[in-house]
Amino acid sequence: MLTMASEKPILYSYFRSSCSWRVRLLKDGGQQFSAEFKAVNPMQQVPALKIDGITLSQSLAIIHYLEDTCPNPRLLPQDLKKRAQVRMIADHIVSGIQPLQNLSVLKQMGEKKMEWAQNCIASGFQALEQTLEHTAGRYCVGDEVSMADLCLVPQVFNAERFKVDMGPYPTITRINKALLELEAFKVSHPSLQPDTPAELRA
């Protein structure tokens, strides 16, 4: 768990959390279940961000606040149609794929957790691939990095962790590769976080 000076923002995170990666600016997996953290976020989920005298949870709420207060670089296009597409893709990942393969769900699946995660991700990626065929340029929507891209890269990381065959998703794969070449995505990678176990470090 990363703690900074009291006058600066505090981000509560976990190295392998795709939700945390979306907002990464982290220690001991499971700290989110402590009584101390429950006071920060009653849902006991990461990420949570203490900033400007408030505490925010849920990655998209955090991203929207940062977009509203520090819109440089901008993560939502000015064009309203592109802005709607960015939000659609982000919601597709954040609401339609990631929760189904989240740790709390996988714990309920027992021995079938790998198969369950693979099926959930593959089903979501089939739809996402079709959407991106119409919206993508270099990135998810056109040629500017957006909120949708912040959601895509962590979800592809999850897919690879669960050994999902990425062959059927060339557009997703191409965009992910382009994004991982950018410095912001490199330094926020789970393998480079303070709480990453030594054996998983890059």
Side-chain angles (χ1 to χ4, degrees):
M1 194 176 297
L2 179 61
T3 308
M4 294 174 269
S6 59
E7 68 275 9
K8 293 186 178 180
I10 299 174
L11 176 65
Y12 296 85
S13 180
Y14 174 60
F15 83 100
R16 196 155 40 192
S17 163
S18 59
C19 300
S20 296
W21 193 358
R22 296 175 197 144
V23 299
R24 190 127 53 221
L25 292 165
L26 310 175
K27 186 166 179 155
D28 304 328
Q31 275 195 354
Q32 68 268 31
F33 301 116
S34 69
E36 176 190 3
F37 186 72
K38 189 172 183 180
V40 174
N41 180 6
M43 283 290 289
Q44 297 181 289
Q45 296 173 341
V46 290
L49 179 66
K50 285 188 174 183
I51 187 170
D52 299 338
I54 61 172
T55 300
L56 297 171
S57 60
Q58 301 301 324
S59 61
L60 287 190
I62 293 170
I63 293 170
H64 278 294
Y65 181 77
L66 296 176
E67 172 75 2
D68 290 340
T69 57
C70 310
N72 188 18
R74 187 168 293 283
L75 295 174
L76 285 170
Q78 295 284 7
D79 180 88
L80 294 181
K81 292 179 181 178
K82 288 185 176 180
R83 182 178 288 229
Q85 290 174 325
V86 165
R87 286 177 166 150
M88 172 184 68
I89 293 166
D91 282 341
H92 178 96
I93 296 167
V94 171
S95 301
I97 302 175
Q98 191 275 332
L100 298 174
Q101 45 91 95
N102 201 12
L103 183 60
S104 61
V105 173
L106 294 180
K107 283 182 177 179
Q108 307 298 318
M109 302 313 297
E111 295 178 0
K112 294 186 177 181
K113 66 181 179 180
M114 181 69 79
E115 179 184 357
W116 171 268
Q118 289 172 342
N119 289 338
C120 292
I121 295 170
S123 176
F125 273 12
Q126 287 169 13
L128 182 59
E129 179 73 15
Q130 292 178 31
T131 298
L132 293 174
E133 287 171 1
H134 299 286
T135 65
R138 181 164 175 78
Y139 306 121
C140 284
V141 178
D143 296 325
E144 301 295 327
V145 174
S146 71
M147 182 185 305
D149 300 297
L150 271 58
C151 297
L152 180 75
V153 171
Q155 187 55 60
V156 173
F157 176 80
N158 279 350
E160 292 170 345
R161 186 159 61 96
F162 289 117
K163 301 183 178 8
V164 172
D165 176 12
M166 294 299 294
Y169 318 114
T171 309
I172 293 174
T173 300
R174 175 184 62 76
I175 295 169
N176 184 67
K177 182 178 179 182
L179 289 164
L180 287 176
E181 293 173 356
L182 302 177
E183 186 64 19
F185 288 88
K186 290 178 182 178
V187 300
S188 60
H189 193 278
S191 64
L192 297 177
Q193 301 315 303
D195 63 327
T196 304
E199 66 273 14
L200 298 179
R201 288 186 172 273

